[in-house]
């Protein structure tokens, strides 16, 4: 099949390129805009208690005041607020309300801090648009107006709250995307220049993948609208890296093999056909593993991951199609001039370092497998210290952003949980009015729960069937202690609810509690499903039942090593309270799926060598010698491009960038180069059971036979090779 694809594309390169350009213009011109949502509650399905509580609040207290933005005031000299300052604050609050800013429904004064140094203005916005871009726009207007209204006073005013956080997150994301894009571009360009010493070849993947990126983003926008998925600004940053990183991988897989075929004496167009025929299956299988792993995220209960999975799968699918059609078409049109001005492509390098690695694996496979396995196991020990954090807003932007400064200062000035109180809604089950005489005792019981600073009855709905009790925790809403405390509040609220009533607990800590539950569900569902589906792909590629088991086990060890190293770096080394809650899921899928690419490339080359009649150990050594440079180059570029995410300046992308780049480095330089080939050499022919994937066979017509190991040639054999260039490696 892949030879047929190669033939069709190479025979009609111009039509292939024109078809891509027409498709790109049509998709980009007609695609809808990609929406964005930063409201954490929108990530959860309606079956969770925190979402049920939010829905109840909408029905029972439609006019309830829930601030979307908070103006925090303090004196510029840091002293206590004076009577004059209080008058200025009252004036600013009144004037903000009179401006009738879009989305703003109500502006009211808040409580001053106990030390008299801080005061608040609370801004309520339309709850139906929570997390939407229009509320970020409203926050931008509010921030500008507050700055103007405080001019001439002794007040310093900052805007915080969820709407302001969404605005700052958006700004941070745009800056991060720019840095990631520039970093990715530079890394790919410089690395390819070093590898090939050919400017055309260095620029080509950037241009072609840029075209694929436009197509992929348009298709993602269509899918998001069609299936009503949630979007988040962090996805765009991840997409940049996935498209350029994975796209460059497939480009390298193809170009290394194209160069080999040219060295073997193939005519240029036939060299590309043979390259697609030989490496096409490995690219398709590698992409299939990545796509399957990403699609497994559709089983997640979190809207953020439900959106990310299909989006990344679409991006990789578009990259796969380009790798098998667009890239071969363009390169075959240019021909060997793509390597200009370098002439080194004409001679096969001795690959001395990789040849030495190959000989080491061939001679001591047990020692190599044990050493590389122990490294992975040792790093995996760090996973026992893993802890999760749930504040997606603060994790998505630097602590220096204004809304983050407000959050930190409010925690010091007020009760840590005051900025995001927990609400307990008590409702009658029979539709009759509640007994108000039980309210005080119920509030008192909630107030005695460990971790609660205060609890009080707040309001009763018009029908008298639902009561709202405001519970202020001692801890900031996203901390582990707050999540544990809200769990105890739920237990007390449910068990102590008066007869004929039921309780629902809402608020941000309750949302984070449910997100924690959802993530644990995903660990039990997404991980096994992705692993099984990847094993199926490996089984189909290798026609083996045995090999997929130890291949997926090796990748699982790589995941453990990556998570362990990330815990040690960020939690132990930098003192973070934990890692962002979705990091293990994302890391698992990237490391397992993309890490499998290199295992697939190495094992496919090993099988190719075995089919030339080599025994398992010799085939493993030769596979490392000849596929090692490709894996090393691809692994370095992909790891480096993911590392550019650390330039974004926020905890989420910094942790993600380190974890995924480290995991890919482990997958390329430990698993694919040493662990996998040494295990395959040890298992021998049994690795291919029940099939005979390593059975010697002749390649299809048009491809030239592979050479034996030059290190093992007799003098007569070397003389024959010197006079027969067609015997070179292909």
């Amino acid at each position: 099949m892949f030879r047929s694809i190669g033939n069709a594309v190479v025979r009609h390169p111009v039509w292939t390129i024109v078809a891509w350009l027409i498709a790109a213009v049509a998709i980009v011109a007609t695609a809808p805009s990609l929406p964005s949502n930063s409201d954490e509650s929108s990530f959860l399905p309606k079956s969770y208690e925190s979402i049920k509580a939010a829905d109840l609040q909408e029905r029972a207290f439609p006019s309830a005041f829930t601030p979307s933005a908070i103006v925090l005031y303090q004196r510029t000299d840091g002293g206590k607020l004076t009577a004059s300052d209080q008058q200025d604050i009252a004036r600013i609050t009144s004037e903000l309300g009179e401006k009738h800013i879009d989305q703003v429904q109500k502006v009211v004064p808040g409580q001053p801090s106990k030390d008299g140094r801080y005061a608040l203005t609370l801004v309520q916005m339309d709850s139906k648009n929570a997390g939407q871009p229009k509320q970020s726009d409203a926050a931008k207007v509010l921030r500008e107006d507050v700055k103007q209204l405080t001019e001439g006073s002794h007040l310093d005013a900052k805007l915080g709250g969820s709407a302001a956080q969404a605005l700052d997150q958006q700004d941070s994301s745009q800056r991060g995307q720019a840095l990631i894009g520039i970093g990715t571009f530079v890394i790919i360009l410089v690395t390819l220049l070093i590898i090939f010493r050919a400017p055309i070849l260095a620029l080509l993947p950037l241009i072609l993948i840029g075209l694929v990126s436009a197509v992929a983003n348009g298709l993602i926008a269509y899918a998001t609208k069609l299936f009503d998925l949630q979007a988040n600004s962090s996805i765009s940053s991840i997409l940049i890296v996935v498209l350029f990183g994975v796209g460059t991988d497939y480009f390298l897989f193809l170009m290394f093999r194209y160069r080999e075929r040219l060295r073997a004496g193939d005519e240029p167009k036939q060299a590309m056909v043979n390259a697609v025929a030989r490496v096409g299956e490995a690219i398709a299988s590698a992409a299939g593993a990545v796509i399957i792993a990403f699609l497994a995220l559709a089983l997640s209960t979190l809207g953020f991951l439900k959106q990310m999975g299909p989006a990344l799968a679409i991006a990789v699918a578009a990259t796969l199609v380009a790798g098998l059609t667009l890239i071969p078409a363009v390169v075959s049109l240019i021909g060997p001039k793509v390597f200009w001005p370098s002439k080194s492509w004409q001679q096969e390098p001795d690959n001395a370092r990789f040849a030495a690695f190959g000989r080491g694996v061939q001679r001591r496979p047990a020692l190599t497998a044990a050493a590389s396995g122990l490294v992975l196991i040792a790093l995996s020990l760090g996973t026992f210290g893993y802890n999760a954090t749930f504040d997606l807003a603060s994790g998505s932007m630097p602590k220096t952003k204004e809304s983050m400064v407000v959050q930190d200062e409010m925690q010091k000035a007020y009760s840590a949980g005051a900025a995001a109180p927990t609400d307990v809604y008590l409702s009658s089950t029979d539709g009759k009015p509640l007994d108000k005489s039980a309210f005080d005792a119920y509030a008192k019981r909630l107030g005695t729960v460990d971790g609660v600073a205060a609890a009080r009855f707040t309001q009763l709905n018009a029908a008298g069937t639902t009561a709202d009790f405001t519970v202020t925790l001692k801890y900031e809403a996203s901390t582990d202690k707050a999540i544990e405390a809200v769990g105890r509040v739920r237990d007390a609220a449910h068990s102590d609810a008066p007869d004929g009533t039921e309780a629902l607990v809402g608020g941000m800590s309750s949302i984070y509690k449910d997100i924690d539950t959802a993530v644990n569900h995903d660990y039990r569902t997404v991980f096994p499903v992705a692993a099984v589906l990847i094993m199926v792909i490996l089984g189909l590629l290798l026609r083996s039942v045995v090999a997929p088991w130890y291949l997926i086990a090796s990748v699982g060890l790589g995941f453990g090593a990556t998570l362990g190293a990330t815990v040690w770096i960020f939690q132990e080394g930098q003192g973070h309270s934990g890692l962002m809650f979705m990091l293990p899921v994302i890391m698992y899928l990237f490391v397992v799926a993309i890490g499998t690419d290199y295992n697939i490339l190495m094992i496919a080359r090993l099988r190719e060598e075995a089919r030339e009649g080599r025994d398992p150990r010799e085939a493993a050594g030769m596979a490392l010698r000849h596929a090692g440079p490709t894996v090393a180059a691809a692994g370095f570029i992909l790891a480096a491009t993911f590392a550019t995410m650390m330039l974004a300046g926020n905890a989420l992308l910094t942790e993600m960038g380190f974890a995924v780049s480290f995991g890919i480095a482990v997958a390329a330089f430990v698993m694919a180069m040493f662990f996998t080939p040494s295990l395959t050499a040890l298992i021998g022919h049994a690795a291919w059971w029940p099939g005979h994937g390593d059975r010697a066979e002749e390649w299809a017509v048009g491809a030239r036979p592979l050479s034996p190991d030059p290190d093992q040639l007799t003098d007569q054999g070397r003389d024959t090779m010197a006079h027969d260039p067609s015997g070179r490696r292909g």
Side-chain angles (χ1 to χ4, degrees):
M1 181 180 77
F2 295 101
R3 181 170 296 279
S4 299
I5 293 173
N7 270 316
V9 169
V10 170
R11 286 176 183 172
H12 309 287
V14 175
W15 285 111
T16 302
I17 296 167
V18 169
W20 263 95
L21 291 174
I22 292 173
V25 171
I27 291 170
V28 172
T30 60
S33 59
L34 187 65
S36 181
N37 196 335
S38 60
D39 180 17
E40 283 94 337
S41 65
S42 67
F43 300 159
L44 289 167
K46 295 186 180 298
S47 58
Y48 283 89
E49 181 169 348
S50 59
I51 307 304
K52 289 180 179 179
D55 291 341
L56 175 60
Q57 185 257 321
E58 285 285 335
R59 297 194 307 271
F61 308 103
S63 59
F65 189 91
T66 304
S68 299
I70 300 171
V71 184
L72 179 68
Y73 304 94
Q74 65 181 123
R75 282 184 60 86
T76 53
D77 59 10
K80 289 187 176 182
L81 296 171
T82 65
S84 175
D85 295 331
Q86 297 287 3
Q87 290 176 359
D88 284 333
I89 292 169
R91 171 183 58 81
I92 293 169
T93 301
S94 176
E95 291 187 24
L96 282 176
E98 292 170 358
K99 286 181 177 291
H100 302 295
I101 299 169
D102 181 46
Q103 296 296 305
V104 173
Q105 296 177 329
K106 193 182 297 184
V107 181
V108 300
Q111 293 293 322
S113 63
K114 291 182 179 179
D115 62 7
R117 296 178 185 274
Y118 295 88
L120 304 172
T121 292
L122 307 178
V123 182
Q124 182 181 26
M125 296 186 187
D126 187 352
S127 60
K128 295 178 182 178
N129 295 319
Q132 296 298 327
K134 59 180 65 177
Q135 292 206 352
S136 300
D137 296 339
K140 185 176 183 179
V141 175
L142 276 169
R143 186 171 281 169
E144 293 171 352
D145 288 347
V146 166
K147 300 299 182 191
Q148 292 176 357
L149 293 172
T150 53
E151 289 180 1
S153 70
H154 297 287
L155 295 172
D156 176 48
K158 300 182 182 71
L159 188 73
S162 59
Q165 288 177 355
L167 172 63
D168 289 341
Q169 184 180 356
Q170 178 181 301
D171 292 341
S172 178
S173 176
Q174 290 173 350
R175 174 181 174 275
Q177 284 179 42
L179 289 172
I180 289 169
I182 294 170
T184 299
F185 185 92
V186 171
I187 285 169
I188 293 175
L189 183 65
V190 171
T191 307
L192 290 179
L193 278 172
I194 293 172
I195 293 172
F196 294 106
R197 300 171 189 173
I200 297 175
L201 205 55
L203 286 169
L204 199 57
L206 296 170
I207 296 169
L208 298 182
I209 297 167
L211 176 64
V212 176
S213 175
V215 172
N217 275 290
L219 294 174
I220 290 165
Y222 273 121
T224 301
K225 184 177 181 180
L226 181 63
F227 298 106
D228 193 27
L229 299 171
Q230 297 292 339
N232 184 276
S233 54
S234 297
I235 291 176
S236 298
S237 301
I238 299 169
L239 272 176
I240 292 171
V241 178
V242 169
L243 281 162
F244 281 89
V246 174
T248 305
D249 262 13
Y250 299 160
F251 180 82
L252 283 171
F253 291 177
L254 191 65
M255 292 309 302
F256 270 94
R257 188 53 70 99
Y258 176 60
R259 187 172 64 178
E260 282 188 27
R261 296 312 310 164
L262 288 173
R263 287 170 177 165
D266 285 358
E267 181 271 330
K269 289 189 179 296
Q270 188 61 43
M272 180 54 71
V273 173
N274 288 338
V276 174
R278 290 198 172 192
V279 84
E281 186 179 21
I283 291 176
S285 300
V290 178
I291 291 168
I292 286 293
F294 287 159
L295 286 178
L297 283 175
L299 300 174
S300 170
T301 51
L302 294 173
F304 172 76
L305 295 178
K306 277 182 176 290
Q307 157 68 6
M308 179 180 288
L312 296 179
I314 289 169
V316 174
T319 308
L320 167 63
V321 175
L324 296 177
T325 59
L326 180 62
I327 293 173
V330 173
V331 174
S332 66
L333 204 59
I334 300 172
K337 292 179 181 178
V338 75
F339 297 104
W340 178 88
S342 173
K343 297 184 184 299
S344 61
W345 66 271
Q346 297 173 351
Q347 294 86 35
E348 181 180 1
D350 56 12
N351 288 338
R353 187 170 301 172
F354 292 97
F357 290 155
R359 287 193 297 270
V361 169
Q362 180 177 340
R363 292 167 185 169
R364 300 180 183 85
L367 178 62
T368 305
S372 54
L374 284 173
V375 169
L376 298 175
I377 292 170
L379 288 172
S380 298
L381 296 176
T383 58
F384 293 106
Y386 168 72
N387 192 37
T389 58
F390 295 87
D391 190 355
L392 186 60
S394 62
S396 301
M397 69 187 97
K399 292 290 186 183
T400 53
K401 284 291 186 179
E402 186 170 324
S403 59
M404 292 295 97
V405 173
V406 170
Q407 179 174 290
D408 291 342
E409 290 184 350
M410 283 191 66
Q411 289 179 33
K412 299 172 186 175
Y414 297 84
S415 169
T422 296
D423 287 288
V424 177
Y425 299 103
L426 190 68
S427 301
S428 63
T429 56
D430 56 8
K432 295 180 180 179
L434 295 169
D435 179 9
K436 297 180 184 178
S437 64
F439 289 178
D440 288 342
Y442 189 65
K444 186 175 181 180
R445 172 67 186 95
L446 293 175
T448 62
V449 173
D450 183 25
V452 172
R456 60 189 176 88
F457 164 68
T458 308
Q459 57 185 329
L460 189 67
N461 71 336
T465 55
T466 300
D468 178 11
F469 296 83
T470 299
V471 177
T472 304
L473 302 178
K474 294 178 180 178
Y475 318 108
E476 194 275 321
S478 64
T479 60
D480 290 336
K481 289 183 177 180
I483 293 168
E484 291 169 1
V486 86
R488 293 190 290 270
V489 169
R490 282 184 177 182
D491 292 339
H494 297 157
S495 62
D496 295 334
D499 292 339
T501 67
E502 63 178 2
L504 291 173
V505 180
M508 289 309 302
S509 293
S510 185
I511 289 171
Y512 293 137
K513 173 73 173 174
D514 286 340
I515 288 177
D516 187 28
T517 303
V519 170
N520 288 330
H521 165 271
D522 291 349
Y523 291 161
R524 296 189 301 270
T525 306
V526 177
F527 284 16
V529 168
V532 168
L533 292 175
I534 290 173
M535 285 180 65
V536 169
I537 288 178
L538 290 172
L540 293 173
L541 168 68
L542 304 174
R543 282 81 169 173
S544 166
V545 172
V546 176
W549 284 99
Y550 68 82
L551 289 176
I552 202 70
S554 72
V555 177
L557 272 178
F559 165 75
T562 303
L563 181 57
T566 307
V567 168
W568 276 330
I569 292 291
F570 290 96
Q571 288 185 208
E572 305 298 331
Q574 297 190 10
H576 290 194
S577 60
L579 305 177
M580 290 305 296
F581 67 91
M582 81 282 283
L583 184 64
V585 177
I586 294 171
M587 189 177 70
Y588 172 87
L589 292 168
F590 276 105
V591 174
V592 169
I594 297 178
T596 303
D597 280 12
Y598 306 127
N599 266 345
I600 287 174
L601 186 69
M602 185 62 72
I603 203 76
R605 189 59 181 252
L606 193 153
R607 180 182 62 181
E608 188 176 316
E609 300 292 345
R611 285 177 171 175
E612 293 299 317
R614 297 184 175 90
D615 64 56
R617 293 194 178 196
E618 184 186 355
M622 290 298 291
L624 180 52
R625 172 176 181 166
H626 292 284
T630 309
V631 171
F636 173 79
I637 289 178
L638 191 58
T641 52
F642 270 102
T644 61
M645 295 171 72
M646 299 173 70
L647 300 173
N650 66 66
L652 173 61
L653 292 180
T654 298
E655 291 173 3
M656 192 183 301
F658 170 82
V660 177
S661 61
F662 184 87
I664 288 168
V666 167
F669 296 100
V670 179
M671 287 190 301
M673 284 199 190
F674 299 105
F675 195 62
T676 296
S678 59
L679 274 180
T680 307
L682 279 174
I683 297 171
H685 295 292
W688 308 97
W689 184 87
H692 302 282
D694 61 339
R695 178 180 294 168
E697 63 179 33
E698 292 297 325
W699 280 94
V701 176
R704 297 179 182 270
L706 298 177
S707 70
D709 186 346
D711 293 336
Q712 299 176 1
L713 287 173
T714 63
D715 291 338
Q716 182 180 358
R718 287 193 183 93
D719 185 64
T720 301
M721 289 289 290
H723 292 86
D724 182 14
S726 67
R728 276 182 170 173
R729 293 211 52 83

